[in-house]
Amino acid sequence: MLRIAIQKSGRLFEDSVGLLKDAGIRLSNNPHRVLRAEAANFPLEIIFLRDDDIPEYVEEGVVDAGIVGENVVLEKRPTVSIVERLGFGKCRLCIAFPKNTPFEGYQSLQGMRVATSYVRILEDFLKTNQITATVHEISGAVEIAPSLGLADAIFDIVSTGSTLLANGLREVATVLESEAVLIANPGMLPEKQEILNRLMFRMQANRNAKQHRYILLNAPNDQLDAIIRLLPGMKSPTVLPLAEPGWSSLHSVVREEIFWDVLEQLKMAGAQGILVAPLERMIL
Ligand code: PRT
Ligand code: ZN
């Protein structure tokens, strides 16, 4: 049985549960009400914790793995391995100034009082840039520190930036980009590692599917070479003859981020009747 910790409630909860569900894992209890749940169809126990506690629980082996913001891992620096970046919970750790305080590069921070919950990351940043500033540790609502006269600037998590704006602050520098990560205890038993590998295989199949589209089209045979070059697919595309002589049907996959560009080029190369469909799972 593998034990995994996820956030009990908060910004990472829905996506973490969704990730397990998409991996075909059915939870036996209602995850909104319990502190632990066992999967009905996979050797997995889920423990619901505050995100701040997850790195330490994984480090100590109380749980084998966990899903937490990379920002928390980089601040707490537990001895754990980051085994997968999960693509949700995206945010950035930024320096923000009151809107009327001038910013002329990092040196503007010199001598300032900076409020943050991320003391270690901030101190490293200040050291790297040879800035002397006073760091004030605050555990929450960092954004109000400047207006209370407690600090001259802040260092905090930003996603849309609307909280900064509402507090009369503006983002002046991004120090770190973060997203949710899967962390694991590096010393876990081989049988647990085996279960984690199975879980990661499923997550990978889902992510690959999301990053690709299935594409189906008709092409005149004399254009097939050009079209195949545009659609290399996983190994190579499938080509089948159409009932109409001189024409073929071609099946392939295409990466989501280049999909629209490829579509235009396919049309120009003579492809017709192009169909595009989402994929459910994809194993490379
Ligand atoms: O109760 P628990 O301790 O588990 O939760 P928490 O309150 O400490 O954490 P939570 O749920 O707020 O965030 C969990 C993780 O989500 C963080 O560690 C980040 O990795 C990630 N994340 C993504 C964020 C944000 N986006 C975010 N916007 N964490 C916090 N915020 C804050 C931000 O600091 C600001 O105060 O949300 C506010 C709104 O942000 P804007 O920029 O959209 O206005
Ligand atoms: Zn927290």
Side-chain angles (χ1 to χ4, degrees), residues 7 9-12 49-52 69 71-72 89-91 118 143 156-163 178:
Q7 196 187 17
S9 63
R11 286 168 204 274
L12 304 182
L49 297 173
R50 292 238 4 228
D51 67 343
D52 317 71
N71 48 304
V72 178
K90 287 193 177 175
C91 56
Y118 293 88
E143 292 97 342
D156 198 14
I157 293 180
V158 180
S159 60
T160 62
S162 59
T163 308
S178 174

Side-chain angles (χ1 to χ4, degrees), residues 217-233:
L217 56 85
N218 295 329
N221 287 346
D222 57 2
Q223 285 301 311
L224 273 179
D225 287 347
I227 289 175
I228 287 169
R229 274 196 296 277
L230 291 169
L231 287 176

Side-chain angles (χ1 to χ4, degrees), residues 231-272:
L231 287 176
M234 286 206 274
K235 199 174 208 60
S236 75
T238 306
V239 178
L240 298 165
L242 283 193
E244 184 171 326
W247 282 79
S248 297
S249 158
L250 190 139
H251 304 222
S252 190
V253 291
V254 60
R255 284 214 326 277
E256 156 88 84
E257 76 255 30
I258 56 165
F259 159 72
W260 284 108
D261 292 336
V262 171
L263 210 61
E264 286 162 11
Q265 293 169 40
L266 287 171
K267 272 200 77 182
M268 288 195 318
Q272 292 182 10

Side-chain angles (χ1 to χ4, degrees), residues 97 101-109 170 172:
F97 275 20
T101 305
F103 178 78
E104 284 137 14
Y106 295 159
Q107 286 306 319
S108 296
L109 283 161
R170 73 184 201 287
V172 294

